[in-house]
Amino acid sequence: EADIYQTPRYLVIGTGKKITLECSQTMGHDKMYWYQQDPGMELHLIHYSYGVNSTEKGDLSSESTVSRIRTEHFPLTLESARPSHTSQYLCASSVRTGGILEEKLFFGSGTQLSVL
Amino acid sequence: KQEVTQIPAALSVPEGENLVLNCSFTDSAIYNLQWFRQDPGKGLTSLLLIQSSQREQTSGRLNASLDKSSGRSTLYIAASQPGDSATYLCAVAGTALIFGKGTTLSVSS
């Protein structure tokens, strides 16, 4: 099983602040993801990465940015937080179980962000 | 565009009951389907992954089935326990990984 860690677990911050949500995995997975989830709603993919120096935007447009300088690290940054960014942010990594697109996902515990 | 629907949205059962959670999807061109468990305020834990070529997978008291042609998957939980209380999500992998909204299960002792 993958070990994937997210910090902080909870974050309450004022409007306009710059924040970075950390995500690290120790299993050497190439592909990593960021999902956003509002209460009672489905997960929406906001960013993903195929590997070092690769970043792609997901299905849901987001004002956040990501970077992938090291395989194990995939931080998400909001330059200027707003109340509309209040949500749970989940990081995941994946390993191939078969063909190219047959991937099993492993999730971190999430960061619950509240912007006042 | 792939859409994933989970029914029911919420389910309450007494301990010991066998139960079935349903997941339907609109596009049968999928590579796999994965069931997850999510505890309140936490991340997701993978329960079962069914490849597109498989019809079912079992893990302990859990059994997941897949019928691609009808666009359906079920998660069967045998002899439910209070510790099974959580939200169960299915996710379908096609050109993208699409999640359903989940079924929130409550098992009372």
Side-chain angles (χ1 to χ4, degrees):
Chain A
E1 296 292 324
D3 291 320
I4 182 164
Y5 307 99
Q6 288 187 243
T7 56
R9 183 72 184 87
Y10 300 96
L11 180 61
V12 180
I13 202 163
T15 297
K17 300 292 187 182
K18 177 180 178 179
I19 59 170
T20 297
L21 308 185
E22 302 288 349
C23 177
S24 296
Q25 50 96 5
T26 61
M27 297 302 289
H29 291 171
D30 286 326
K31 205 165 179 183
M32 296 187 72
Y33 314 76
W34 276 102
Y35 286 87
Q36 185 174 342
Q37 184 184 31
D38 292 320
M41 302 298 289
E42 57 268 71
L43 278 74
H44 290 287
L45 180 66
I46 52 175
H47 297 284
Y48 61 100
S49 166
Y50 289 108
V52 171
N53 294 326
S54 157
T55 61
E56 305 286 344
K57 290 190 180 295
D59 307 321
L60 184 69
S61 67
S62 173
E63 294 166 346
S64 58
T65 59
V66 292
S67 63
R68 191 86 183 277
I69 298 172
R70 304 197 313 266
T71 297
E72 63 272 20
H73 195 212
F74 191 39
L76 181 147
T77 299
L78 277 165
E79 291 293 333
S80 180
R82 296 207 301 269
S84 61
H85 296 140
T86 295
S87 188
Q88 183 176 36
Y89 293 84
L90 291 162
C91 179
S93 67
S94 67
V95 60
R96 290 181 191 174
T97 60
I100 293 175
L101 291 177
E102 294 183 339
E103 298 176 345
K104 184 174 182 180
L105 261 65
F106 299 89
F107 281 83
S109 298
T111 293
Q112 182 61 52
L113 173 65
S114 295
V115 184
L116 307 177
Chain B
K1 180 183 175 183
Q2 178 75 274
E3 293 182 3
V4 180
T5 303
Q6 291 189 246
I7 295 174
L11 181 63
S12 293
V13 299
E15 183 176 7
E17 275 205 10
N18 302 324
L19 56 100
V20 174
L21 307 182
N22 297 292
C23 173
S24 62
F25 46 95
T26 55
D27 186 350
S28 62
I30 66 170
Y31 295 95
N32 64 49
L33 183 146
Q34 199 165 353
W35 283 93
F36 294 89
R37 169 185 172 138
Q38 185 175 30
D39 292 290
K42 301 224 176 138
L44 281 68
T45 301
S46 177
L47 297 173
L48 289 164
L49 182 148
I50 310 176
Q51 306 288 6
S52 59
S53 58
Q54 298 173 323
R55 293 193 63 85
E56 66 178 308
Q57 280 285 328
T58 298
S59 176
R61 294 182 293 108
L62 305 179
N63 176 276
S65 68
L66 174 63
D67 184 343
K68 273 182 56 177
S69 60
S70 66
R72 292 180 184 177
S73 175
T74 61
L75 179 67
Y76 175 82
I77 303 177
S80 58
Q81 303 171 357
D84 295 330
S85 298
T87 297
Y88 292 82
L89 298 130
C90 71
V92 175
T95 54
L97 187 66
I98 305 297
F99 283 81
K101 292 184 180 181
T103 293
T104 299
L105 173 66
S106 176
V107 182
S108 56
S109 56

